[in-house]
Each structure stands twice: as C-alpha cells, then as structure tokens.
Amino acid sequence: MTIFSRIIKGELPSYKIAEDDRFFAFLDINPITWGHTLVVPKIEEDYLFDIDDDMLGDMFKFTKRVAAAIKTALPCRKVGMAVLGLEVPHAHIHLVPLKNEGDLDFKKKIENPSPKKMKEVCELIAKSFK
Ligand code: 5GP
C-alpha cells in the first residue's frame, strides 16, 4: 500500500482539505508555499497519465474545486498546478498558491512549517471548499 493510501484510510495523519468517494485532497507535508495541496485518486495508480480518461476528467473537476477553495481562502494571485510524481508512486496533482512566478519552485520548501500554521491554513481552505 502506498503512503498516500494509508493517509486516505486514516492510518497516517494528514491535514485533510476535502474528499469524495474517489478523490482526496490534503496539504503537502513539505509545502513550497503556504497552502500547497495534493489531490490524489483513492485508487492506487502510479502515473497520473495512466488514469483512464473519464476518471482523469473527474479528478480534474475535483481539483478545480480545491483550487477555487485555495484561492478564496488564501492571499494569492492564482493557483498553480504541477505534476511530478518522482517521489511517491501514487498519482497526485500539486496545487500551489502563487504570488510570483518563482513560487512554483520545488527546490524552495518552507523550512520547518509549524503544525499550528499548517492546521490554520488547512482549516481555512477546507472551510472554503464547495
Ligand atoms: P512527487 O512524488 O510529486 O515528486 O513528490 C511527492 C510530494 O509528496 C512531495 O511534495 C512531498 O513533500 C509530499 N509527501 C511525501 N510524503 C508525504 C506524506 O506522508 N504526507 C504528506 N502530506 N505529503 C507527503
């Protein structure tokens, strides 16, 4: 089982933003900006672009709702999106609140993000999810 499946099942803790029957969104534990969120399917598929068309379409619709919640909840100009998948073999989309072009830089992690602030940010986004 992947680490993200264990998070989805609640075996491991996460800062959960939202879920439905097929998708799950939670804060990245090593955010590059505050509010950096991961959207994952509940099925285990390694590579995002191996997901079948219908499900990928629905995942994108779910991701759009999460991005809207981030944009409502946090001060940012836009929400950026990226697909890496080089570390965790469970497909996921990164959503990153952006103020500047340089904010979408995966080498610039926030150092020791405090649990208190992570919780605050999580609650703000979760509250805005529709
Ligand atoms: P990628 O696979 O897209 O290259 O990177 C995986 C991402 O998942 C990284 O940004 C990393 O910080 C995040 N990540 C890895 N393990 C965990 C975890 O246990 N919990 C959370 N919330 N994020 C994780």
Side-chain angles (χ1 to χ4, degrees), residues 76-94:
C76 60
R77 284 170 57 200
K78 293 198 171 168
V79 175
M81 188 174 84
V83 175
L84 285 82
L86 299 175
E87 185 188 322
V88 178
H90 186 138
H92 51 280
I93 294 172
H94 293 258

Side-chain angles (χ1 to χ4, degrees), residues 3-4 7 13-14 26-30 36 38 84-88 92 94 106 109:
I3 194 157
F4 289 171
I7 286 172
S14 72
F26 56 110
L27 292 185
D28 192 303
I29 204 70
N30 292 121
H36 177 180
L38 302 175
L84 285 82
L86 299 175
E87 185 188 322
V88 178
H92 51 280
H94 293 258
F106 285 84
K109 311 267 188 201

Side-chain angles (χ1 to χ4, degrees), residues 46-110:
D46 176 0
Y47 184 44
L48 185 79
F49 298 115
D50 282 339
I51 294 174
D52 77 64
D53 291 0
D54 286 346
M55 178 137 169
L56 191 57
D58 290 344
M59 184 171 170
F60 199 64
K61 285 182 199 161
F62 183 83
T63 301
K64 180 178 172 181
R65 291 165 63 202
V66 178
I70 294 172
K71 187 142 187 312
T72 301
L74 301 179
C76 60
R77 284 170 57 200
K78 293 198 171 168
V79 175
M81 188 174 84
V83 175
L84 285 82
L86 299 175
E87 185 188 322
V88 178
H90 186 138
H92 51 280
I93 294 172
H94 293 258
L95 290 176
V96 181
L98 303 175
K99 289 183 179 154
N100 304 295
E101 193 184 357
D103 288 341
L104 201 59
D105 180 349
F106 285 84
K107 293 197 187 96
K108 280 199 281 183
K109 311 267 188 201
I110 294 171

Side-chain angles (χ1 to χ4, degrees), residues 109-129:
K109 311 267 188 201
I110 294 171
E111 265 186 49
N112 302 316
S114 82
K116 181 168 176 277
K117 173 108 184 195
M118 290 288 277
K119 187 166 177 278
E120 275 170 24
V121 166
C122 176
E123 284 171 1
L124 278 175
I125 302 172
K127 221 169 48 183
S128 299
F129 182 79

